[in-house]
Amino acid sequence: MSNRTPGPWNATQLGEIFGPFGASKIARLFGPNMEGNARLIVAAPDLLAALQAMVEPGMQPRHLTAAQWECLPWIVAARAAISKATGNPQAEDAR
């Protein structure tokens, strides 16, 4: 995974995103959707961790249970999101 500032992240009312304990400024947002965008960005580390916990790295379609087959579209979508967030194409290629 590429380097990133670990969570939790926090946002100010001015649209600034900071790492833990205000240690480093990650971003400065502008525009009419600044508040909603800030909430989404601040949630990113937790969302990534949740997706990684849900999708087993070695999970292959031939080893899926019936219940997992029903969830296959979500598993594929989760892997794609993990790949986008980490810059690791293997997260998506593991399908």
Side-chain angles (χ1 to χ4, degrees):
M1 181 163 97
S2 61
N3 291 334
R4 65 173 182 84
T5 304
W9 296 349
N10 299 293
T12 68
Q13 290 182 342
L14 299 174
E16 297 174 320
I17 310 294
F18 287 92
F21 311 109
S24 60
K25 186 187 296 187
I26 297 169
R28 172 76 165 103
L29 306 177
F30 299 94
N33 299 319
M34 181 177 66
E35 188 176 329
N37 291 339
R39 282 194 305 271
L40 183 59
I41 291 168
V42 166
D46 296 329
L47 293 169
L48 177 60
L51 286 176
Q52 288 172 321
M54 287 174 28
V55 179
E56 297 175 34
M59 190 182 289
Q60 298 293 324
R62 65 183 173 275
H63 298 124
L64 296 180
T65 66
Q68 289 169 326
W69 267 108
E70 290 182 24
C71 297
L72 189 59
W74 294 282
I75 292 170
V76 171
R79 284 205 171 128
I82 292 167
S83 178
K84 186 183 282 189
T86 62
N88 179 4
Q90 291 178 346
E92 190 172 357
D93 293 342
R95 291 183 271 175

